[in-house]
Amino acid sequence: MSEVNFTIDGVPVRARRGQTIIQAAEDAGIYVPRLCFMKGVLPGGKCRVCTVLVNDRPQAACTQPAMEGMVVKNDTPELRGWRKSVLEMLFVEGNHFCMFCEKSGNCELQALGYRFGIDAPRFDFQFPQRVVDASHPDIILDRNRCILCGRCARTSRELDGREVVDFVGRGHKESLGVNGRRLADTGLRVTDRAVSACPVGALMPKRVGFAVPVGKRLYDARPIGSEIEDKRKGGA
Ligand code: SF4
């Protein structure tokens, strides 16, 4: 059998064998919130924003394969609460100042904050001291905004064929390390897909931050995930 059938929030979904829940949901026009997941690279299962309930057990939708007959819950008050907590923790454990960030309006963390109605975090801000690497002529790495999703590292490895960045340290000391120590000493090019893989304003090309004016950016008009949900509605 090359197909499996299951439900998400009561909606029948047909998946190709081997597809994960998040992929099958997306094909069916159902948005499962995510941050570390990115189409085209292997899932990291890192951020846990895509947690769903599979037969009432929490699973990461980006790594869990679709199985025949399973019952998936994606949109419940409990899941919304968990996801909101994860997002709030991400906001307070880094230094995210959206109003000053050139990624504002194109940032997936910010857009999820709006989608989940986050106004003031419930947790204490950590205000960590983190190193900014501006050594590269064309790219900046601002670790203050890094949410350790790993999209850049996986993209660099899998799509660009390099090993420019990876994680160093463990637990709350984990951070993004640069092979060669400074970004300028790596072979990273501004055209590498790793640079555009960053969902927040941590890894960004220089001098293009305001090429698209505020008000015309990706998430300025519609919530993140709308483009996926449009498939189910038959277009916006
Ligand atoms: Fe994720 Fe961006 Fe940090 Fe890389 S630099 S781990 S893509 S947030």
Side-chain angles (χ1 to χ4, degrees), residues 35-36 46 141-143 145-155 165 167 176 194-204:
L35 269 174
C36 73
K46 211 161 184 310
L141 173 59
D142 185 346
R143 292 184 179 85
R145 304 168 180 167
C146 179
I147 56 171
L148 301 173
C149 69
R151 275 166 48 164
C152 56
R154 282 178 280 137
T155 305
V165 283
F167 295 109
L176 195 67
V195 179
S196 57
C198 184
V200 293
L203 192 60
M204 289 195 67

Side-chain angles (χ1 to χ4, degrees), residues 5-231:
N5 293 280
F6 66 103
T7 61
I8 301 178
D9 296 331
V11 176
V13 173
R14 184 176 296 167
R16 293 191 303 281
R17 188 162 291 283
Q19 267 191 317
T20 57
I21 293 172
I22 208 168
Q23 290 168 329
E26 189 156 334
D27 287 351
I30 297 169
Y31 175 62
V32 180
R34 75 291 298 270
L35 269 174
C36 73
F37 173 77
M38 196 180 106
K39 264 183 168 173
V41 293
L42 291 172
K46 211 161 184 310
C47 73
R48 299 285 147 174
V49 173
C50 73
T51 298
V52 292
L53 293 174
V54 178
N55 299 336
D56 289 326
R57 288 171 184 259
Q59 300 283 356
C62 69
T63 53
Q64 174 67 38
M67 309 283 279
E68 183 69 27
M70 68 185 182
V71 175
V72 177
K73 291 179 188 156
N74 173 49
D75 190 16
T76 69
E78 184 182 35
L79 285 166
R80 280 198 292 279
W82 289 351
R83 290 167 178 163
K84 195 170 174 180
S85 297
V86 170
L87 294 168
E88 286 178 303
M89 284 190 266
L90 288 172
F91 271 111
V92 299
E93 75 176 17
N95 296 311
H96 299 280
F97 302 105
C98 300
M99 65 293 268
F100 307 121
C101 180
E102 59 268 48
K103 189 87 173 193
S104 186
N106 288 324
C107 172
E108 294 179 33
L109 177 64
Q110 181 195 41
L112 281 167
Y114 282 124
R115 182 158 176 143
F116 282 87
I118 294 172
D119 37 31
R122 286 168 292 167
F123 309 118
D124 291 338
F125 283 97
Q126 310 273 302
F127 297 124
Q129 297 210 328
R130 295 196 183 155
V131 178
V132 176
D133 185 338
S135 62
H136 195 291
D138 300 317
I139 304 159
I140 187 162
L141 173 59
D142 185 346
R143 292 184 179 85
N144 290 289
R145 304 168 180 167
C146 179
I147 56 171
L148 301 173
C149 69
R151 275 166 48 164
C152 56
R154 282 178 280 137
T155 305
S156 176
R157 198 164 43 239
E158 294 171 34
L159 301 185
D160 298 331
R162 303 174 198 272
E163 297 268 353
V164 173
V165 283
D166 216 336
F167 295 109
V168 292
R170 305 184 76 174
H172 73 283
K173 293 194 172 158
E174 188 179 30
S175 70
L176 195 67
V178 174
N179 290 339
R181 301 235 173 123
R182 297 188 325 148
L183 219 49
D185 300 331
T186 68
L188 187 66
R189 289 184 295 228
V190 72
T191 49
D192 281 1
R193 287 197 261 183
V195 179
S196 57
C198 184
V200 293
L203 192 60
M204 289 195 67
K206 290 180 176 175
R207 298 179 295 279
V208 296
F210 293 93
V212 177
V214 171
K216 295 192 181 306
R217 298 182 174 194
L218 201 52
Y219 308 118
D220 282 346
R222 305 185 66 217
I224 189 169
S226 299
E227 70 290 354
I228 293 171
E229 291 165 334
D230 283 346
K231 287 187 209 166

